[in-house]
Amino acid sequence: MTLPQLKPITLALILFVKLVVFSQSQLEQAGQITCNRSHAYYDLCSIDGPTLLEPITSTLYALDTINSTQQPIWLKTRPYPRKWDKGAKSKVKELTLTSAPHSTRCEVTHNTLALVFSAGGYTGNFFHDFSDGFVPLFITINSLFYNQDVTLVISDCNDLWWPQKYAEIRAQFSHSPIIDIKKGRVTHCFPSAIVELIKHGPMIVDPTLLPHHPKSLADFRIFLENSYKKKGGDDVLITSYNRPQLVFVIRKLGFIKAIEEVGFDVNVLDPTTTHASLAKAFKLVHSSHAMFGVHGAGLTHMLFLRPRAVLVQVVPIGVDLPSNISFKGPAKNLGLEYMDYKVKPKESSLAEIYGANDLVLKNPDAYVNGDYSNMRVYMRTQNLKLDIVRFKRYLVKVYKKAKKFMDMES
């Protein structure tokens, strides 16, 4: 049975290890407008005072200028926290912050501060929706707006699905309706504005960088759980089971029989239904004792697992680094029992293409050799055909951990 061709999270994810935090602070400031460009992932801009948003031109005006005779400042930014990634940035609309005079009047006035960010870039890939979107949003809210309501102002929003798919999460971040710059035709005024989201790293919430109100990825998981509580405030109910429940994140179903024979009840989560109800996915995953899938964006559903649940990642040849960054490290931060099934050369289609003794299989690090475009061989052309005997032996270990978790609950 051949597993589906791997979907890359993006090659740019791997470039994370190449990033160097800028040693020289780069600060642009004039009066109330500031852009701090010293961070590796993001440029944090702000208008410290009354702000007017003109959505048609994607411009934010500082209304109270300190010195009207001073030359107006014009600062540009693309508010998506992957500033080194030209591919992502090309899909993000440029915004302008300026102290220039204008004659536009406020049509809608808000009492809450504006937090402006993009839902462009790699939005639509489930991993990036969280790693570049909601996790940085969680960090930014807890860094700059703790116990304050804000108005979310979003650019590049795919209004056909994004607001609906993430409605429960959005409502946890802000009580105010979102403002979609792309659809906007009226001007809005705010007490002040922050443009961009703060990012600590791929799927990382570093409590040491939130010294006043320390938070971790585990706190983000609790935040998600609260987002999907039943109406009326009841927690999502966990049913008692006779057999451990395993979520199978896969498109082809050939291994279900083997998993069931080991002792699991199997529920399939199809990652191709990109815009399906997350509330249903949350209930399915949250009530499970284990999750299993090949490295890919679908494993981001691990954020819905409870602590002590088992996450099993199938790691193809040459994909150790992105697998560790994307899921292994975060899984441990979430309190999950992490396990990985590392594919042997004979289980990879690369052995048929290149031969078992080729450098591609024998030493992926040497083959890549710092040229991350070579990762395409591993991320885009590799199919898997797992050794069913080896696979079932491995599943027994997974079952024991999941059964232990289930027994602890009962």
Side-chain angles (χ1 to χ4, degrees), residues 49-55 60-61 63 102 104-114 151 179 186-193:
T51 303
L52 182 145
L53 167 66
E54 209 295 294
L60 292 152
Y61 290 93
L63 297 182
H102 63 92
T104 309
R105 66 181 183 87
C106 292
E107 295 175 278
V108 180
T109 300
H110 302 263
N111 295 322
T112 52
L113 312 180
T151 296
I179 296 173
V186 300
T187 59
H188 297 261
C189 285
F190 306 92
S192 62

Side-chain angles (χ1 to χ4, degrees), residues 304-377:
F304 299 161
L305 289 169
R306 291 166 290 153
R308 298 188 302 279
V310 185
L311 175 68
V312 183
Q313 177 177 204
V314 176
V315 182
I317 301 291
V319 189
D320 291 67
L321 179 59
S323 296
N324 292 342
I325 292 172
S326 304
F327 302 114
K328 181 178 181 179
K332 292 183 177 180
N333 290 334
L334 289 167
L336 303 178
E337 283 276 357
Y338 175 81
M339 301 176 68
D340 49 30
Y341 180 94
K342 294 193 175 183
V343 168
K344 299 289 187 182
K346 66 178 182 179
E347 297 174 294
S348 170
S349 62
L350 296 179
E352 301 173 6
I353 299 171
Y354 293 94
N357 293 320
D358 193 278
L359 189 65
V360 168
L361 280 96
K362 293 188 72 174
N363 194 336
D365 289 341
Y367 174 78
V368 173
N369 193 30
D371 182 357
Y372 290 96
S373 64
N374 290 339
M375 283 296 297
R376 295 174 186 271
V377 169

